[in-house]
Amino acid sequence: MKKTIALIDCSIPINSRNQKIINSIKENFPNSDIHVITWNREGLSLAKESNLHVYNHIAAYADAKAKVLGMFGFKKFIKATLNEIHADIIIASHWSNLILVVGTKQKDQTIIYENLDIPTGGFLVRKISQIAEKWALRKVDLIIHASRFFKALYSDSIPQIVLENKPAFTTNFSNEKIKHPLRISFIGSIRYKEILTNLVEAVKNDKRYQLYFHGSGEDLNYMRSYCSNIKNVFFTGKYLYENVTQLYHNSDVVWAAYPNKDFNVVYAISNKFHESLYVGIPCIYSDQTKLAELVKEKNIGFVVNPYDISSIKNLFSNIYDGTVNMEEIKENMKKFHEKETTWETDFQKLKSYLE
């Protein structure tokens, strides 16, 4: 039976994980009718597409107040669009979109909550967000968790599956020994400058290290300026994701430490974690997180306090000097990866809810 599926996002372009879900639905259900409902918050000029429904209202991504005010109009737009396309299945991506959608649910409609990030922020903001999310969960038929660590935070009364953003590229495991100077890379969206400046301070003008920033992002210009007089820090700019494996292979270790004071970071799982397992290049993660606990238990990477420059320095020195057994870590990564499922395998758990 042909199904009409609506995915609710709130950005342009829609995030890469959601595009991946859409592609998998199309592959597994070629007769399905897939619509995307999203919010053009920056007033971008867009080509008209039949199954792309765009709410046009300016609300800068850095302006939380503008987003909250704009959500009332976005909610009306979602409701009107869902009534127009007669969706059988609604995939609400992110808890903020879920609370906009649940009031529109009609009889025989299925609502799937794609749990990208758990509610976070200051204590009061987080508690209010958690209450709103819990209220919305009453009408949810399935939760898709983007992290294996999210599941423990939700009631088993609602069906749940884990669909982490595992890469689609082929395993290409590196057994190379570390180079001198040690090649340290950041690969991805350049943000959280309070952490990245600590990384820079730990290696700046030290001839034992070369630090590469691959990518763009909201803090790129700030970091370029910050590093303008530092000789061993390099910026390569935006890259094509199809080239990401080469960026890993040009590295000895990859920085994947995020602000662990953020409640979501404590439970989230980094895309870099999965990428590193496919390429055999270990990452450095923030301590006091669930991912750090796993990495330490399995010895499949490195853990550091991202706010402590001396700890970061000590870690790099130990890697450079060979104090840590890099070969053992890589072998553990390989064994761990062999037992992990793939995106395609995990997606099969979703199929019964889309049929």
Side-chain angles (χ1 to χ4, degrees):
M1 181 180 175
K2 181 178 180 179
K3 297 280 188 177
T4 298
I5 302 170
L7 187 145
I8 317 296
D9 201 320
C10 61
S11 62
I12 294 288
I14 66 169
N15 73 67
S16 58
R17 173 187 166 86
N18 281 341
Q19 188 58 58
K20 206 167 175 180
I21 288 175
I22 291 169
N23 292 342
S24 291
I25 292 174
K26 288 179 178 178
E27 291 171 9
N28 286 271
F29 300 95
N31 294 323
S32 61
D33 187 18
I34 305 174
H35 295 257
V36 174
I37 303 173
T38 191
W39 182 355
N40 182 4
R41 295 173 56 182
E42 295 182 308
L44 300 176
S45 179
L46 303 172
K48 190 171 183 180
E49 300 178 36
S50 59
N51 282 23
L52 178 64
H53 310 270
V54 180
Y55 174 61
N56 291 290
H57 179 84
I58 301 295
Y61 286 102
D63 191 337
K65 182 179 179 181
K67 179 184 177 182
V68 171
L69 294 175
M71 286 175 70
F72 294 98
F74 188 38
K75 180 179 180 179
K76 291 180 181 179
F77 181 81
I78 291 171
K79 184 176 181 179
T81 305
L82 290 174
N83 288 338
E84 177 186 339
I85 65 177
H86 305 292
D88 301 296
I89 300 167
I90 302 169
I91 303 175
S93 179
H94 198 268
W95 64 267
S96 59
N97 288 326
L98 176 66
I99 63 175
L100 301 181
V101 163
V102 290
T104 70
K105 184 176 183 180
Q106 299 178 3
K107 187 178 180 180
D108 299 327
Q109 270 185 336
T110 297
I111 290 187
I112 298 174
Y113 171 32
E114 189 198 357
N115 187 14
L116 288 179
D117 298 301
I118 57 177
T120 190
F123 180 80
L124 182 59
V125 171
R126 174 158 55 88
K127 286 300 178 184
I128 293 172
S129 302
Q130 287 173 332
I131 291 170
E133 181 196 46
K134 188 174 182 179
W135 168 80
L137 284 171
R138 298 175 305 159
K139 294 189 177 182
V140 167
D141 299 287
L142 173 71
I143 304 175
I144 303 173
H145 295 297
S147 167
R148 66 191 70 187
F149 306 118
F150 289 167
K151 191 173 181 182
L153 301 174
Y154 292 81
S155 170
D156 290 335
S157 62
I158 304 172
Q160 303 173 52
I161 64 173
V162 175
L163 184 63
E164 293 176 345
N165 200 16
K166 297 171 183 177
F169 51 73
T170 305
T171 302
N172 185 5
F173 208 87
S174 169
N175 291 310
E176 288 187 21
K177 296 185 181 298
I178 64 170
K179 301 289 191 300
H180 289 165
L182 184 73
R183 302 167 302 174
I184 305 159
S185 293
F186 178 89
I187 305 171
S189 177
I190 298 176
R191 54 182 179 154
Y192 304 124
K193 59 188 178 184
E194 70 275 20
I195 298 294
L196 296 182
T197 51
N198 290 341
L199 169 62
V200 170
E201 288 298 315
V203 303
K204 71 176 184 180
N205 295 325
D206 190 324
K207 293 180 179 180
R208 294 178 298 170
Y209 312 120
Q210 291 179 344
L211 173 58
Y212 294 89
F213 286 96
H214 303 294
S216 58
E218 61 190 65
D219 287 333
L220 174 59
N221 290 336
Y222 178 90
M223 293 305 299
R224 281 186 184 274
S225 176
Y226 189 87
C227 300
S228 60
N229 295 317
I230 301 176
K231 296 179 181 179
N232 63 334
V233 179
F234 310 94
F235 294 84
T236 62
K238 194 173 183 178
Y239 59 89
L240 297 175
Y241 189 72
E242 62 197 55
N243 297 327
V244 74
T245 55
Q246 189 58 50
L247 297 179
Y248 274 90
H249 284 300
N250 290 339
S251 313
D252 294 303
V253 65
V254 171
W255 182 264
Y258 295 99
N260 56 10
K261 296 176 182 179
D262 184 288
F263 187 71
N264 181 67
V265 170
V266 173
Y267 290 91
I269 194 161
S270 171
N271 292 342
K272 295 181 182 65
F273 172 74
H274 297 297
E275 291 167 353
S276 74
L277 294 174
Y278 274 70
V279 297
I281 304 297
C283 285
I284 300 168
Y285 306 98
S286 292
D287 65 357
Q288 299 184 34
T289 63
K290 294 297 180 181
L291 181 55
E293 292 175 8
L294 175 64
V295 167
K296 287 192 289 187
E297 177 190 348
K298 302 297 183 181
N299 192 22
I300 53 177
F302 302 100
V303 172
V304 73
N305 178 353
Y307 296 98
D308 186 345
I309 295 172
S310 63
S311 293
I312 301 171
K313 284 184 176 182
N314 288 337
L315 174 60
F316 288 144
S317 182
N318 289 337
I319 296 173
Y320 181 89
D321 294 339
T323 304
V324 297
N325 190 333
M326 184 70 83
E327 288 75 19
E328 180 182 351
I329 290 173
K330 287 193 172 190
E331 186 60 29
N332 291 340
M333 290 171 65
K334 190 172 185 178
K335 291 177 180 177
F336 185 88
H337 174 60
E338 288 171 350
K339 295 179 181 179
E340 284 280 277
T341 57
T342 64
W343 169 277
E344 291 76 13
T345 302
D346 293 339
F347 185 83
Q348 300 308 306
K349 303 171 189 174
L350 177 59
K351 287 182 69 173
S352 62
Y353 291 90
L354 300 176
E355 291 173 342

